[in-house]
Short mmCIF file of all heavy atoms in Angstrom, two decimals:
data_model
loop_
_atom_site.label_atom_id
_atom_site.label_comp_id
_atom_site.label_asym_id
_atom_site.label_seq_id
_atom_site.Cartn_x
_atom_site.Cartn_y
_atom_site.Cartn_z
N MET A 99 18.74 -14.91 -20.24
CA MET A 99 18.31 -13.62 -19.69
C MET A 99 17.94 -13.84 -18.23
O MET A 99 17.20 -14.75 -17.89
CB MET A 99 17.09 -13.12 -20.48
CG MET A 99 16.47 -11.88 -19.89
SD MET A 99 14.94 -11.28 -20.64
CE MET A 99 15.40 -11.05 -22.31
N ASP A 100 18.46 -12.99 -17.37
CA ASP A 100 18.09 -13.11 -15.96
C ASP A 100 16.85 -12.26 -15.68
O ASP A 100 16.36 -11.53 -16.55
CB ASP A 100 19.25 -12.76 -15.03
CG ASP A 100 19.67 -11.30 -15.08
OD1 ASP A 100 18.91 -10.46 -15.59
OD2 ASP A 100 20.76 -10.99 -14.56
N ALA A 101 16.33 -12.37 -14.48
CA ALA A 101 15.07 -11.70 -14.12
C ALA A 101 15.17 -10.19 -14.26
O ALA A 101 14.24 -9.54 -14.76
CB ALA A 101 14.65 -12.08 -12.71
N MET A 102 16.29 -9.60 -13.84
CA MET A 102 16.41 -8.14 -13.92
C MET A 102 16.41 -7.68 -15.37
O MET A 102 15.79 -6.67 -15.70
CB MET A 102 17.69 -7.68 -13.19
CG MET A 102 17.69 -6.21 -12.87
SD MET A 102 16.40 -5.78 -11.68
CE MET A 102 15.95 -4.19 -12.28
N ASP A 103 17.07 -8.42 -16.25
CA ASP A 103 17.04 -8.09 -17.68
C ASP A 103 15.63 -8.16 -18.23
O ASP A 103 15.23 -7.32 -19.04
CB ASP A 103 17.94 -9.02 -18.48
CG ASP A 103 19.42 -8.77 -18.25
OD1 ASP A 103 19.77 -7.63 -17.88
OD2 ASP A 103 20.21 -9.70 -18.45
N PHE A 104 14.86 -9.18 -17.80
CA PHE A 104 13.48 -9.30 -18.25
C PHE A 104 12.69 -8.05 -17.88
O PHE A 104 11.98 -7.47 -18.71
CB PHE A 104 12.81 -10.53 -17.64
CG PHE A 104 11.34 -10.56 -17.89
CD1 PHE A 104 10.82 -11.00 -19.09
CD2 PHE A 104 10.45 -10.11 -16.91
CE1 PHE A 104 9.45 -11.01 -19.33
CE2 PHE A 104 9.08 -10.11 -17.14
CZ PHE A 104 8.58 -10.56 -18.36
N PHE A 105 12.80 -7.61 -16.62
CA PHE A 105 12.05 -6.44 -16.19
C PHE A 105 12.49 -5.18 -16.91
O PHE A 105 11.68 -4.34 -17.27
CB PHE A 105 12.15 -6.25 -14.67
CG PHE A 105 11.33 -7.24 -13.91
CD1 PHE A 105 11.92 -8.19 -13.11
CD2 PHE A 105 9.94 -7.22 -13.99
CE1 PHE A 105 11.16 -9.11 -12.41
CE2 PHE A 105 9.17 -8.14 -13.30
CZ PHE A 105 9.78 -9.09 -12.51
N LYS A 106 13.80 -5.02 -17.12
CA LYS A 106 14.29 -3.86 -17.86
C LYS A 106 13.74 -3.84 -19.28
O LYS A 106 13.28 -2.79 -19.76
CB LYS A 106 15.82 -3.86 -17.89
CG LYS A 106 16.46 -3.50 -16.58
CD LYS A 106 17.98 -3.56 -16.69
CE LYS A 106 18.64 -3.27 -15.36
NZ LYS A 106 20.11 -3.39 -15.45
N ASN A 107 13.79 -4.97 -19.95
CA ASN A 107 13.25 -5.05 -21.32
C ASN A 107 11.75 -4.79 -21.35
O ASN A 107 11.26 -4.06 -22.22
CB ASN A 107 13.56 -6.41 -21.94
CG ASN A 107 15.02 -6.58 -22.28
OD1 ASN A 107 15.73 -5.61 -22.51
ND2 ASN A 107 15.48 -7.82 -22.29
N TYR A 108 11.03 -5.39 -20.43
CA TYR A 108 9.58 -5.19 -20.38
C TYR A 108 9.25 -3.72 -20.15
O TYR A 108 8.39 -3.15 -20.81
CB TYR A 108 8.97 -6.06 -19.28
CG TYR A 108 7.47 -6.00 -19.26
CD1 TYR A 108 6.72 -6.84 -20.08
CD2 TYR A 108 6.79 -5.08 -18.45
CE1 TYR A 108 5.34 -6.78 -20.08
CE2 TYR A 108 5.41 -5.01 -18.46
CZ TYR A 108 4.69 -5.86 -19.27
OH TYR A 108 3.32 -5.79 -19.28
N ALA A 109 9.95 -3.09 -19.20
CA ALA A 109 9.71 -1.68 -18.91
C ALA A 109 10.00 -0.82 -20.13
O ALA A 109 9.22 0.07 -20.49
CB ALA A 109 10.55 -1.23 -17.72
N ASN A 110 11.13 -1.07 -20.78
CA ASN A 110 11.48 -0.29 -21.98
C ASN A 110 10.47 -0.47 -23.09
O ASN A 110 10.09 0.49 -23.75
CB ASN A 110 12.87 -0.70 -22.49
CG ASN A 110 13.99 -0.16 -21.64
OD1 ASN A 110 13.83 0.83 -20.95
ND2 ASN A 110 15.13 -0.83 -21.68
N ASN A 111 10.02 -1.70 -23.31
CA ASN A 111 9.07 -1.99 -24.39
C ASN A 111 7.67 -1.47 -24.13
O ASN A 111 6.87 -1.34 -25.06
CB ASN A 111 9.02 -3.49 -24.66
CG ASN A 111 10.31 -4.01 -25.24
OD1 ASN A 111 11.07 -3.27 -25.87
ND2 ASN A 111 10.57 -5.29 -25.04
N ASN A 112 7.36 -1.17 -22.86
CA ASN A 112 6.00 -0.74 -22.51
C ASN A 112 5.96 0.64 -21.88
O ASN A 112 4.96 1.02 -21.27
CB ASN A 112 5.39 -1.78 -21.56
CG ASN A 112 5.14 -3.08 -22.27
OD1 ASN A 112 4.18 -3.20 -23.03
ND2 ASN A 112 6.02 -4.05 -22.08
N ASN A 113 7.05 1.41 -22.05
CA ASN A 113 7.11 2.79 -21.58
C ASN A 113 6.75 2.89 -20.09
O ASN A 113 5.93 3.70 -19.68
CB ASN A 113 6.22 3.70 -22.42
CG ASN A 113 6.57 5.15 -22.24
OD1 ASN A 113 7.73 5.48 -21.99
ND2 ASN A 113 5.60 6.02 -22.36
N ILE A 114 7.39 2.03 -19.29
CA ILE A 114 7.17 2.00 -17.84
C ILE A 114 8.47 2.40 -17.16
O ILE A 114 9.54 1.88 -17.49
CB ILE A 114 6.76 0.58 -17.37
CG1 ILE A 114 5.45 0.18 -18.04
CG2 ILE A 114 6.66 0.52 -15.86
CD1 ILE A 114 5.10 -1.29 -17.83
N GLN A 115 8.38 3.31 -16.19
CA GLN A 115 9.56 3.70 -15.42
C GLN A 115 9.91 2.58 -14.46
O GLN A 115 9.06 2.15 -13.67
CB GLN A 115 9.31 4.99 -14.67
CG GLN A 115 10.51 5.45 -13.87
CD GLN A 115 10.26 6.72 -13.07
OE1 GLN A 115 9.14 7.22 -13.03
NE2 GLN A 115 11.27 7.21 -12.43
N LEU A 116 11.11 2.11 -14.52
CA LEU A 116 11.57 1.05 -13.64
C LEU A 116 12.34 1.68 -12.49
O LEU A 116 13.25 2.48 -12.71
CB LEU A 116 12.46 0.08 -14.41
CG LEU A 116 12.93 -1.15 -13.68
CD1 LEU A 116 11.74 -2.04 -13.29
CD2 LEU A 116 13.90 -1.93 -14.54
N ILE A 117 11.96 1.34 -11.28
CA ILE A 117 12.61 1.87 -10.09
C ILE A 117 13.18 0.71 -9.30
O ILE A 117 12.50 -0.27 -9.04
CB ILE A 117 11.61 2.64 -9.20
CG1 ILE A 117 11.04 3.82 -9.96
CG2 ILE A 117 12.26 3.10 -7.90
CD1 ILE A 117 9.90 4.51 -9.23
N GLY A 118 14.44 0.82 -8.93
CA GLY A 118 15.03 -0.17 -8.05
C GLY A 118 15.80 -1.26 -8.75
O GLY A 118 16.08 -1.20 -9.93
N SER A 119 16.15 -2.26 -7.97
CA SER A 119 16.99 -3.35 -8.43
C SER A 119 16.77 -4.53 -7.51
O SER A 119 16.29 -4.38 -6.39
CB SER A 119 18.44 -2.89 -8.38
OG SER A 119 19.32 -3.97 -8.56
N PHE A 120 17.16 -5.70 -7.97
CA PHE A 120 17.15 -6.86 -7.09
C PHE A 120 18.34 -6.84 -6.14
O PHE A 120 18.41 -7.62 -5.21
CB PHE A 120 17.17 -8.16 -7.90
CG PHE A 120 15.87 -8.47 -8.58
CD1 PHE A 120 15.84 -8.90 -9.89
CD2 PHE A 120 14.67 -8.35 -7.90
CE1 PHE A 120 14.65 -9.20 -10.51
CE2 PHE A 120 13.46 -8.63 -8.52
CZ PHE A 120 13.46 -9.07 -9.83
N ASN A 121 19.29 -5.96 -6.39
CA ASN A 121 20.48 -5.84 -5.55
C ASN A 121 20.34 -4.60 -4.69
O ASN A 121 20.46 -3.49 -5.18
CB ASN A 121 21.73 -5.76 -6.42
CG ASN A 121 22.99 -5.70 -5.61
OD1 ASN A 121 22.96 -5.60 -4.38
ND2 ASN A 121 24.13 -5.76 -6.29
N PRO A 122 20.10 -4.75 -3.39
CA PRO A 122 19.93 -3.59 -2.52
C PRO A 122 21.11 -2.62 -2.54
O PRO A 122 20.94 -1.41 -2.41
CB PRO A 122 19.76 -4.19 -1.12
CG PRO A 122 19.34 -5.59 -1.35
CD PRO A 122 19.96 -6.00 -2.65
N ALA A 123 22.31 -3.13 -2.75
CA ALA A 123 23.49 -2.26 -2.80
C ALA A 123 23.42 -1.27 -3.95
O ALA A 123 23.94 -0.17 -3.86
CB ALA A 123 24.76 -3.10 -2.90
N ASP A 124 22.73 -1.63 -5.04
CA ASP A 124 22.56 -0.72 -6.17
C ASP A 124 21.80 0.54 -5.76
O ASP A 124 21.95 1.59 -6.37
CB ASP A 124 21.81 -1.38 -7.33
CG ASP A 124 22.62 -2.46 -8.02
OD1 ASP A 124 23.85 -2.55 -7.77
OD2 ASP A 124 22.03 -3.22 -8.81
N GLU A 125 20.98 0.42 -4.73
CA GLU A 125 20.19 1.55 -4.23
C GLU A 125 20.81 2.16 -2.98
O GLU A 125 20.21 3.01 -2.33
CB GLU A 125 18.76 1.09 -3.92
CG GLU A 125 17.98 0.65 -5.14
CD GLU A 125 17.77 1.79 -6.13
OE1 GLU A 125 17.51 2.93 -5.69
OE2 GLU A 125 17.86 1.54 -7.33
N GLY A 126 22.00 1.70 -2.61
CA GLY A 126 22.67 2.23 -1.42
C GLY A 126 22.07 1.72 -0.12
O GLY A 126 22.19 2.37 0.91
N LEU A 127 21.43 0.57 -0.16
CA LEU A 127 20.78 0.01 1.03
C LEU A 127 21.68 -1.02 1.70
O LEU A 127 22.55 -1.62 1.06
CB LEU A 127 19.46 -0.65 0.65
CG LEU A 127 18.45 0.24 -0.08
CD1 LEU A 127 17.21 -0.55 -0.44
CD2 LEU A 127 18.09 1.45 0.75
N ASN A 128 21.42 -1.25 2.98
CA ASN A 128 22.14 -2.29 3.72
C ASN A 128 21.14 -3.06 4.57
O ASN A 128 19.95 -2.79 4.54
CB ASN A 128 23.27 -1.68 4.56
CG ASN A 128 22.76 -0.71 5.58
OD1 ASN A 128 21.84 -1.01 6.33
ND2 ASN A 128 23.34 0.47 5.64
N GLY A 129 21.64 -4.01 5.34
CA GLY A 129 20.78 -4.88 6.12
C GLY A 129 19.85 -4.17 7.09
O GLY A 129 18.74 -4.64 7.35
N SER A 130 20.27 -3.03 7.62
CA SER A 130 19.43 -2.32 8.59
C SER A 130 18.22 -1.63 7.93
O SER A 130 17.34 -1.16 8.64
CB SER A 130 20.26 -1.29 9.37
OG SER A 130 20.71 -0.26 8.50
N ASP A 131 18.19 -1.60 6.60
CA ASP A 131 17.06 -0.99 5.89
C ASP A 131 15.89 -1.95 5.71
O ASP A 131 14.86 -1.58 5.16
CB ASP A 131 17.53 -0.48 4.53
CG ASP A 131 18.51 0.66 4.64
OD1 ASP A 131 18.32 1.54 5.50
OD2 ASP A 131 19.49 0.68 3.87
N PHE A 132 16.04 -3.18 6.21
CA PHE A 132 15.03 -4.22 6.03
C PHE A 132 14.60 -4.79 7.37
O PHE A 132 15.40 -4.91 8.28
CB PHE A 132 15.58 -5.35 5.15
CG PHE A 132 15.91 -4.92 3.76
CD1 PHE A 132 17.12 -4.31 3.46
CD2 PHE A 132 15.01 -5.11 2.74
CE1 PHE A 132 17.43 -3.90 2.18
CE2 PHE A 132 15.29 -4.70 1.45
CZ PHE A 132 16.50 -4.09 1.17
N TYR A 133 13.30 -5.17 7.45
CA TYR A 133 12.81 -5.89 8.63
C TYR A 133 13.41 -7.29 8.65
O TYR A 133 13.79 -7.81 9.68
CB TYR A 133 11.28 -6.03 8.61
CG TYR A 133 10.56 -4.74 8.82
CD1 TYR A 133 9.87 -4.12 7.78
CD2 TYR A 133 10.55 -4.12 10.07
CE1 TYR A 133 9.19 -2.93 7.98
CE2 TYR A 133 9.88 -2.92 10.27
CZ TYR A 133 9.20 -2.34 9.22
OH TYR A 133 8.54 -1.16 9.42
N ASP A 134 13.40 -7.90 7.49
CA ASP A 134 14.00 -9.21 7.27
C ASP A 134 14.43 -9.24 5.81
O ASP A 134 14.40 -8.21 5.14
CB ASP A 134 13.02 -10.35 7.63
CG ASP A 134 11.70 -10.27 6.88
OD1 ASP A 134 11.63 -9.65 5.81
OD2 ASP A 134 10.71 -10.82 7.38
N GLY A 135 14.82 -10.37 5.29
CA GLY A 135 15.37 -10.45 3.94
C GLY A 135 14.61 -9.67 2.87
O GLY A 135 15.17 -8.78 2.24
N PRO A 136 13.33 -9.95 2.64
CA PRO A 136 12.63 -9.31 1.52
C PRO A 136 11.79 -8.09 1.88
O PRO A 136 11.20 -7.48 0.99
CB PRO A 136 11.73 -10.42 1.00
CG PRO A 136 11.40 -11.23 2.21
CD PRO A 136 12.63 -11.16 3.09
N HIS A 137 11.70 -7.72 3.14
CA HIS A 137 10.76 -6.67 3.54
C HIS A 137 11.47 -5.39 3.96
O HIS A 137 12.07 -5.32 5.03
CB HIS A 137 9.85 -7.17 4.67
CG HIS A 137 9.03 -8.33 4.25
ND1 HIS A 137 9.34 -9.61 4.62
CD2 HIS A 137 7.93 -8.40 3.46
CE1 HIS A 137 8.45 -10.44 4.09
NE2 HIS A 137 7.59 -9.73 3.37
N ILE A 138 11.35 -4.38 3.11
CA ILE A 138 12.02 -3.10 3.36
C ILE A 138 11.21 -2.28 4.36
O ILE A 138 9.99 -2.38 4.42
CB ILE A 138 12.19 -2.33 2.02
CG1 ILE A 138 13.19 -1.20 2.17
CG2 ILE A 138 10.87 -1.86 1.47
CD1 ILE A 138 13.65 -0.63 0.86
N ARG A 139 11.90 -1.50 5.14
CA ARG A 139 11.23 -0.62 6.10
C ARG A 139 10.50 0.49 5.36
O ARG A 139 10.96 0.99 4.34
CB ARG A 139 12.25 -0.02 7.06
CG ARG A 139 12.91 -1.03 7.94
CD ARG A 139 13.85 -0.38 8.94
NE ARG A 139 14.52 -1.38 9.73
CZ ARG A 139 13.96 -2.02 10.76
NH1 ARG A 139 12.74 -1.76 11.13
NH2 ARG A 139 14.64 -2.94 11.42
N LYS A 140 9.34 0.88 5.86
CA LYS A 140 8.49 1.88 5.20
C LYS A 140 9.23 3.18 4.96
O LYS A 140 9.15 3.76 3.88
CB LYS A 140 7.22 2.14 6.01
CG LYS A 140 6.31 3.17 5.34
CD LYS A 140 5.14 3.53 6.21
CE LYS A 140 4.21 4.53 5.57
NZ LYS A 140 4.82 5.71 5.00
N GLU A 141 9.97 3.66 5.95
CA GLU A 141 10.66 4.95 5.81
C GLU A 141 11.72 4.89 4.71
O GLU A 141 11.97 5.88 4.02
CB GLU A 141 11.25 5.43 7.13
CG GLU A 141 12.25 4.50 7.77
CD GLU A 141 11.65 3.44 8.68
OE1 GLU A 141 10.42 3.21 8.67
OE2 GLU A 141 12.44 2.81 9.41
N VAL A 142 12.33 3.73 4.51
CA VAL A 142 13.33 3.58 3.45
C VAL A 142 12.63 3.56 2.09
O VAL A 142 13.08 4.22 1.14
CB VAL A 142 14.15 2.30 3.67
CG1 VAL A 142 15.14 2.08 2.54
CG2 VAL A 142 14.87 2.36 5.01
N LEU A 143 11.53 2.84 1.99
CA LEU A 143 10.77 2.83 0.75
C LEU A 143 10.27 4.23 0.41
O LEU A 143 10.35 4.66 -0.75
CB LEU A 143 9.58 1.87 0.87
CG LEU A 143 8.71 1.73 -0.37
CD1 LEU A 143 9.52 1.27 -1.57
CD2 LEU A 143 7.56 0.79 -0.10
N ASP A 144 9.80 4.97 1.39
CA ASP A 144 9.35 6.34 1.16
C ASP A 144 10.48 7.20 0.59
O ASP A 144 10.26 7.99 -0.33
CB ASP A 144 8.84 6.98 2.46
CG ASP A 144 7.52 6.40 2.92
OD1 ASP A 144 6.84 5.71 2.14
OD2 ASP A 144 7.18 6.62 4.11
N ARG A 145 11.69 7.05 1.12
CA ARG A 145 12.85 7.81 0.61
C ARG A 145 13.14 7.46 -0.85
O ARG A 145 13.42 8.33 -1.66
CB ARG A 145 14.10 7.51 1.44
CG ARG A 145 14.23 8.30 2.70
CD ARG A 145 15.65 8.27 3.27
NE ARG A 145 16.41 7.07 3.02
CZ ARG A 145 16.70 6.13 3.91
NH1 ARG A 145 16.26 6.23 5.16
NH2 ARG A 145 17.41 5.07 3.59
N ILE A 146 13.09 6.18 -1.17
CA ILE A 146 13.37 5.74 -2.55
C ILE A 146 12.33 6.31 -3.50
O ILE A 146 12.66 6.86 -4.55
CB ILE A 146 13.42 4.21 -2.64
CG1 ILE A 146 14.63 3.68 -1.88
CG2 ILE A 146 13.45 3.76 -4.10
CD1 ILE A 146 14.64 2.18 -1.70
N VAL A 147 11.07 6.18 -3.15
CA VAL A 147 10.00 6.67 -4.01
C VAL A 147 10.10 8.18 -4.19
O VAL A 147 10.00 8.69 -5.30
CB VAL A 147 8.62 6.26 -3.47
CG1 VAL A 147 7.50 6.95 -4.23
CG2 VAL A 147 8.45 4.74 -3.54
N GLU A 148 10.34 8.89 -3.10
CA GLU A 148 10.46 10.35 -3.19
C GLU A 148 11.63 10.74 -4.08
O GLU A 148 11.51 11.63 -4.92
CB GLU A 148 10.64 10.95 -1.80
CG GLU A 148 10.65 12.46 -1.82
CD GLU A 148 10.65 13.07 -0.43
OE1 GLU A 148 10.07 12.48 0.49
OE2 GLU A 148 11.25 14.14 -0.28
N ARG A 149 12.75 10.07 -3.93
CA ARG A 149 13.94 10.37 -4.73
C ARG A 149 13.69 10.09 -6.22
O ARG A 149 14.09 10.85 -7.08
CB ARG A 149 15.11 9.54 -4.23
CG ARG A 149 16.39 9.74 -5.03
CD ARG A 149 17.51 8.85 -4.57
NE ARG A 149 17.22 7.48 -4.99
CZ ARG A 149 17.50 6.40 -4.29
NH1 ARG A 149 18.04 6.50 -3.10
NH2 ARG A 149 17.22 5.21 -4.74
N GLU A 150 13.00 8.99 -6.52
CA GLU A 150 12.81 8.58 -7.90
C GLU A 150 11.67 9.31 -8.61
O GLU A 150 11.73 9.51 -9.81
CB GLU A 150 12.57 7.08 -7.98
CG GLU A 150 13.75 6.25 -7.53
CD GLU A 150 14.95 6.36 -8.46
OE1 GLU A 150 14.77 6.62 -9.67
OE2 GLU A 150 16.09 6.19 -7.98
N LEU A 151 10.64 9.68 -7.88
CA LEU A 151 9.45 10.25 -8.52
C LEU A 151 9.33 11.75 -8.40
O LEU A 151 8.64 12.38 -9.18
CB LEU A 151 8.19 9.59 -7.96
CG LEU A 151 8.06 8.09 -8.20
CD1 LEU A 151 6.78 7.56 -7.59
CD2 LEU A 151 8.13 7.75 -9.69
N PHE A 152 9.97 12.34 -7.40
CA PHE A 152 9.78 13.77 -7.18
C PHE A 152 11.04 14.52 -7.24
O PHE A 152 11.92 14.75 -7.48
CB PHE A 152 9.11 14.03 -5.83
CG PHE A 152 7.82 13.29 -5.68
CD1 PHE A 152 7.72 12.18 -4.86
CD2 PHE A 152 6.70 13.68 -6.38
CE1 PHE A 152 6.52 11.49 -4.71
CE2 PHE A 152 5.50 13.00 -6.25
CZ PHE A 152 5.42 11.90 -5.42
#
C-alpha cells in the first residue's frame, strides 16, 4: 500500500473528507503554483479549498 492509499483508506474508515493528492497534476497544478517543491502559494491553496468546500 502506498501513502496515498493509506490516506484514502483512513479517510473512508473515519468519515473524513479527503482533499487533494500527492500528485499536483491531479489538481490541475503546475510548477508556478508553488514557491518551491513542497510549498504551495496561498492564493492557489485558497482556490482549492474554496472549490472543494464551498
Side-chain angles (χ1 to χ4, degrees):
M99 173 185 303
D100 67 16
M102 197 65 216
D103 288 335
F104 170 81
F105 286 114
K106 287 178 183 178
N107 289 334
Y108 185 86
N110 286 336
N111 292 335
N112 292 283
N113 198 30
I114 299 170
Q115 181 182 5
L116 185 63
I117 299 172
S119 169
F120 286 135
N121 183 353
D124 290 348
E125 295 297 320
L127 304 178
N128 61 50
S130 66
D131 294 319
F132 296 83
Y133 290 109
D134 56 23
H137 298 102
I138 195 166
R139 295 184 183 282
K140 180 186 180 311
E141 59 272 13
V142 177
L143 181 58
D144 289 345
R145 277 197 330 253
I146 293 170
V147 171
E148 185 173 328
R149 178 184 72 216
E150 296 293 332
L151 298 180
F152 304 107

